[in-house]
Amino acid sequence: MQKRRWRTLGLLRKLLTFAICAIALVALLSAHVHVFSPSTVQKLPDPYKLPTQREIEYQKLSTERSWTQELAPPHLRKAPLPARKLDGASGTSDFDKLWKRPPNRDYICDMVAVAHIINATLVIPELDKRSFWQDSSNFSDVFDEDHFINSLANDVKVIKKLPKELTSATRAVKHFRSWSGVDYYQEEIASMWEEYQVIRAAKSDSRLANNNLPPDIQKLRCRACYEALRFSPKIEAMGKLLVDRMRSHGPYIALHLRYEKDMLAFSGCTHDLSVEEADELRITRENTVYWKVKEIDSTEQRAKGYCPLTPKEVGMFLTALGFPSNTPIYIAAGEIYGGVSHMAALQSRYPILMNKEELASVDELEPFNNHASQMAALDYIVSVESDLFIPSYSGNMARAVEALVRLFDKVEQGTMREGKSLSSRIIEIHRRRQGSPRKRKGPISGTKGMDRFRSEEAFYVNPLPDCLCHKESPVMNSSLIIR
């Protein structure tokens, strides 16, 4: 009887120990996934309060909308947050002029932070009007200018244009050094006030370091990016209309399909194109003065993962991941090169392919036509509101693309079939590439330019590290900073 009692006590001890371990494990995992909770953010003093957009996205994640039951393949039951990766810095002016996105947010946020560091007044940024698309949009066409100015009033004085009394003032055009810290701006740039009243920042890409900055500067960058920068009312209204119409088809994927003429011409990617099409792209590249590299080996580019997936390859990719053919897909892109002929393979697999032009009437889109940056802003809104965002190039896909093309080539050559084998390989290489945030490590020592964002150490790099938010803008051409 005594032995039986001791056995019972021993069993109870084991059960209690197991329960405590389970609770501890759940608590540990919860702390790892959330990093900080919305309730913690609410306790921050107003000047350092992070924007509510992240709180909304946490809500999305926790409620797990019907997408997870209806459309997501088994290995993607929890749809990741839309990768709204903010494209951090190309490192070259060529890329700045190429990427089609709403004006690059992190460039603008860096200039806000720089103005604060050197105690300057910031003139509303100018957007690049000389790029491939010849977009005449101004800052106020894309963003809510008054909201931007008012939101930053406690940190940086922002004005709409240079005052008349300073139009003839002594000024300097300065190329700020890339990836610079606070010391550089406080010592070298701030000292320029002794001679100049106006400083024009000729380049705004990657001018401020990501790491080792004071917390107040990082918080200011976050506020500028996720609170101060808000799309103009007309873009917000049109974006909401597109989202509502897309949502009428059910939960949907936003697919950033980078198969556009400018992208292919710039990158030299001609896989699966005709000789005539390849020649047309080569001529476009040669005739575009500010694209420095003219001779490009397309096969080598593709093998390194520097080419966007073709629409056909995207179809194979989505099928391998297990998405059913009735999945609604929004194409976030400009005009697809080759049009219907190159989209046919993807369309045959996924008939519910939609874009701005199919969701809205000609009259509704008329105010945005011939303004690539504004059209990109609409794509951005629909992508942010999607249940799943999938890029076909760059960001967290770059190294994955490098691996994918080898598999697609095997299918094309007949050495591998579509089906279970291809699907398991693709699922495996994407197991850790689903857009989730992870701790930043920075690039491998010695890497430069775009390689900084292709190195394994730099994957999932958040361009604004302390925000826990990311995102992809017309490009800011230059800023005027005045004292």
Side-chain angles (χ1 to χ4, degrees), residues 30 126 159 187 202 259 321 389:
S30 176
E126 296 175 8
I159 58 177
E187 295 168 11
Y259 208 72
L321 285 179
F389 176 81

Side-chain angles (χ1 to χ4, degrees), residues 221-240:
R221 293 167 102 183
C222 292
R223 286 198 302 280
C225 190
Y226 298 105
E227 186 175 316
L229 280 174
R230 187 169 70 186
F231 288 126
S232 64
K234 69 171 186 177
I235 287 178
E236 288 281 3
M238 189 65 208
K240 184 181 183 301

Side-chain angles (χ1 to χ4, degrees), residues 100-169:
K100 187 181 296 182
R101 52 188 180 242
N104 198 300
R105 291 184 169 211
D106 47 316
Y107 298 177
I108 297 172
C109 300
D110 282 358
M111 291 299 105
V112 169
V114 168
H116 179 81
I117 291 169
I118 63 176
N119 191 26
T121 296
L122 179 68
V123 180
I124 283 288
E126 296 175 8
L127 306 183
D128 188 359
K129 297 178 173 61
R130 298 170 297 169
S131 64
F132 185 90
W133 311 280
Q134 301 294 301
D135 187 353
S136 62
S137 297
N138 294 313
F139 186 93
S140 58
D141 295 319
V142 182
F143 294 117
D144 187 330
E145 195 171 68
D146 291 331
H147 178 77
F148 181 74
I149 293 171
N150 295 333
S151 297
L152 296 171
N154 292 332
D155 301 289
V156 176
K157 183 178 180 181
V158 183
I159 58 177
K160 295 185 179 182
K161 60 183 180 179
L162 195 67
K164 288 182 179 179
E165 60 269 24
L166 288 177
T167 53
S168 58

Side-chain angles (χ1 to χ4, degrees), residues 445-464:
S445 178
T447 55
K448 297 180 179 180
M450 284 300 288
D451 289 336
R452 296 172 62 89
F453 300 93
R454 299 191 189 281
S455 64
E456 194 63 45
E457 291 294 308
F459 255 85
Y460 303 124
V461 166
N462 185 343
L464 298 177

Side-chain angles (χ1 to χ4, degrees), residues 254-363:
L255 174 62
H256 192 199
L257 193 58
R258 296 307 309 275
Y259 208 72
E260 299 146 323
K261 183 177 180 180
D262 56 285
M263 176 66 196
L264 298 176
F266 176 83
S267 60
C269 297
T270 59
H271 177 73
D272 228 12
L273 297 180
S274 67
V275 174
E276 292 75 19
E277 288 171 328
D279 283 342
E280 181 185 23
L281 295 177
R282 177 184 54 79
I283 293 168
T284 299
R285 182 169 64 254
E286 290 174 353
N287 291 340
T288 305
V289 178
Y290 46 78
W291 291 353
K292 297 174 185 176
V293 182
K294 304 299 182 183
E295 296 296 325
I296 300 177
D297 185 325
S298 176
T299 304
E300 184 180 332
Q301 284 282 94
R302 186 167 177 269
K304 289 180 177 179
Y306 293 173
C307 291
L309 295 178
T310 67
K312 178 182 177 181
E313 290 170 338
V314 169
M316 294 169 65
F317 169 68
L318 294 176
T319 300
L321 285 179
F323 290 101
S325 60
N326 64 344
T327 302
I329 299 176
Y330 177 82
I331 303 296
E335 184 179 352
I336 301 302
Y337 187 61
V340 175
S341 62
H342 286 305
M343 288 293 289
L346 177 59
Q347 184 90 49
S348 65
R349 289 175 187 260
Y350 295 94
I352 312 177
L353 286 183
M354 308 299 288
N355 55 28
K356 298 180 292 294
E357 291 73 19
E358 292 181 340
L359 291 173
S361 68
V362 173
D363 289 342

